Amino acid sequence: QVQLVESGGGLVQAGGSLRLSCAASGSFFSNNAMGWYRQTPGKQRELVAAITSGGSTNYANTVKGRFTISRDNAKSTVYLQMNSLKPEDTAVYYCNAHLWNGIDYWGKGTLVTVSS
């Protein structure tokens, strides 16, 4: 059973920083890609950043240079360091595990609110 639990969301002023964490259960973690997505009301969930099992990363253009995704396989945890936050980064952020068999698992999400 795969379980993903996000933490680290909250309220921050524009220009500030937050670090999101996603703790994963199960033995799948080190062999699969992980990602962070975000969603605002009325919009589709969008990819923010992803990291492969080998450590290669991919970012949405809107967050390049400001956000950094990383993983600690020993702790089965993936992180999203968010710097220079903007009001448009306000969203619910979801952790995603994309398994080798094509199945996706999702956390329940953590709310990030950036005030102007």
Side-chain angles (χ1 to χ4, degrees):
Q1 183 74 11
V2 174
Q3 289 188 326
L4 305 172
V5 180
E6 302 101 334
S7 61
L11 174 64
V12 64
Q13 288 189 331
S17 298
L18 283 175
R19 188 176 82 155
L20 305 183
S21 300
C22 172
S25 64
S27 59
F28 73 96
F29 185 85
S30 62
N31 296 321
N32 292 278
M34 301 293 296
W36 287 96
Y37 287 70
R38 66 187 181 188
Q39 189 171 23
T40 54
K43 292 189 176 181
Q44 283 192 325
R45 194 170 295 188
E46 62 176 4
L47 174 69
V48 176
I51 185 166
T52 67
S53 58
S56 296
T57 58
N58 182 43
Y59 296 93
N61 287 334
T62 53
V63 307
K64 278 182 181 177
R66 300 188 297 123
F67 291 10
T68 302
I69 188 171
S70 62
R71 63 190 298 160
D72 184 336
N73 289 338
K75 295 182 178 180
S76 296
T77 301
V78 61
Y79 304 97
L80 185 68
Q81 178 66 44
M82 304 186 295
N83 299 329
S84 302
L85 282 160
K86 304 175 181 180
E88 50 264 44
D89 295 318
T90 296
V92 177
Y93 285 70
Y94 295 91
C95 180
N96 166 266
H98 183 71
L99 271 56
W100 62 270
N101 57 10
I103 296 177
D104 284 291
Y105 290 91
W106 298 91
K108 293 183 178 181
T110 185
L111 177 62
V112 172
T113 304
V114 184
S115 64
S116 56

